[in-house]
């Protein structure tokens, strides 16, 4: 992608709007297998709690998973900033500035490679895998 086109995805657009200073993570959790099951939602929320204890997490939350993830304890956790779904430019700007992007493994295969760490979570992945990849013990 050319520098001119890449400039459209300016991380400062979102970091200033969300009050982010320093490294942060972006999480996307919307696959039915992850957000329709209370058990799966509980595992994901536990992983986000752990990640948020080390790095601020921004979660643009699709309405589909809000009730299940809220019941699993997502809201009110220091370090996790839940926002309404974002538009394309806003989301890519946020992702471009992220130190870590946590998404379903299937989603990750669909995204272009870029200078952030893209780590899968969901089936076959646990928060232990993510923290090991990030160098956290």
């Amino acid at each position: 992608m050319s520098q001119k086109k890449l400039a459209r995805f300016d991380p400062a657009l979102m970091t200033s709007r969300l009050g982010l200073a320093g490294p942060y993570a972006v999480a996307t959790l919307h696959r039915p297998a992850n957000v329709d099951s209370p058990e799966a939602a509980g595992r994901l929320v536990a992983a986000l709690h752990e990640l948020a204890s080390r790095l601020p997490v921004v979660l643009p939350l699709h309405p589909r998973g809000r009730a299940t993830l809220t019941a699993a304890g997502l809201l009110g956790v220091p370090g996790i900033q839940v926002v309404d779904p974002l538009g394309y430019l806003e989301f890519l700007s946020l992702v471009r500035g992220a130190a870590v992007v946590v998404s379903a493994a299937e989603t990750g295969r669909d995204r272009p490679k870029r200078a952030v760490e893209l780590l899968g979570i969901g089936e076959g992945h646990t928060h232990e895998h993510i923290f090991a990849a990030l160098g956290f013990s």
Side-chain angles (χ1 to χ4, degrees), residues 21-84:
Y24 62 91
V26 175
T28 66
L29 306 175
H30 58 271
R31 291 186 62 243
N34 292 332
V35 300
D36 289 351
S37 158
E39 296 79 21
R43 288 190 303 273
L44 293 172
V45 167
L48 290 178
H49 285 193
E50 183 70 22
L51 181 58
S53 73
R54 295 160 158 69
L55 192 67
V57 176
V58 178
L59 174 61
L61 187 55
H62 190 277
R64 175 185 186 102
R66 186 172 292 272
T68 307
L69 292 167
T70 298
L74 177 66
L75 302 179
V77 175
I80 297 178
Q81 189 173 162
V82 177
V83 299
D84 288 332

Side-chain angles (χ1 to χ4, degrees), residues 24-35 44 47-48 51 57-60 62 69 91-92 95 98-114 116-127 129-131 134:
Y24 62 91
V26 175
T28 66
L29 306 175
H30 58 271
R31 291 186 62 243
N34 292 332
V35 300
L44 293 172
L48 290 178
L51 181 58
V57 176
V58 178
L59 174 61
H62 190 277
L69 292 167
F91 183 72
L92 289 182
V95 166
V100 177
V101 176
V102 179
S103 184
E106 294 78 9
T107 304
R109 284 193 288 270
D110 298 337
R111 300 219 187 278
K113 299 292 184 210
R114 59 194 169 278
V116 296
E117 194 80 26
L118 181 58
L119 303 168
I121 188 166
E123 294 179 29
H125 297 283
T126 66
H127 63 281
H129 292 121
I130 291 172
F131 301 131
L134 291 172

